[in-house]
Amino acid sequence: MTLEQAALGVVDAVVVYDGRLLMVAAQDSWGLPSGAPQPAESAQAGAARLVYELTGYLVDGTSVLRPQGTAGEDARPAVVCQLLSQAPSAEARLGPEQIRWAPFAEAIDAGLPEAVRDYLVGHTTV
């Protein structure tokens, strides 16, 4: 099984739009939409499905950010997703108060995995 098939069991979705990152409520903070792909589902397809189920936004998982570490949070893949819908579906599991678009500068300091922080830093306008 390859990384693209989410061998590690959990995938993070990195949904970016207009200099902002889609974040969801996670315990007492904000984090990336994440979860386990279905059996035989690629990381990209799993990330897109999870974002839709959680937030109602339709996205397309395009590329996998390779994990920087070999253990812990940084070991799981993160998938960069392109936003395909401007408004979320009413069928989302999370309510509007549990979903937010954070500016990159704020998101970078939110305890994200290193590969995601590096991606955001590389896409932050100066």
Side-chain angles (χ1 to χ4, degrees):
M1 183 177 274
T2 66
L3 180 62
E4 283 75 17
Q5 292 172 307
L8 299 172
V10 175
V11 64
D12 291 322
V14 181
V15 183
V16 296
Y17 179 73
D18 196 26
R20 297 173 296 152
L21 175 69
L22 180 65
M23 300 186 83
V24 296
Q27 296 165 342
D28 292 329
S29 63
W30 293 93
L32 298 172
S34 63
Q38 299 292 326
E41 185 175 50
S42 70
Q44 293 92 328
R49 178 185 52 76
L50 287 162
V51 168
Y52 184 76
E53 289 176 358
L54 291 172
T55 70
Y57 284 103
L58 185 60
V59 300
D60 183 18
T62 57
S63 59
V64 176
L65 299 176
R66 300 293 179 197
Q68 301 292 328
T70 56
E73 288 294 309
D74 283 345
R76 62 196 208 194
V79 176
V80 176
C81 299
Q82 301 303 311
L83 185 66
L84 300 177
S85 63
Q86 295 295 316
S89 161
E91 298 167 8
R93 264 194 249 157
L94 300 176
E97 70 284 354
Q98 297 172 295
I99 302 167
R100 67 184 290 243
W101 289 94
F104 283 179
E106 180 183 323
I108 289 168
D109 296 329
L112 300 173
E114 186 177 351
V116 176
R117 287 192 313 268
D118 290 347
Y119 176 82
L120 295 178
V121 167
H123 289 82
T124 301
T125 56
V126 203

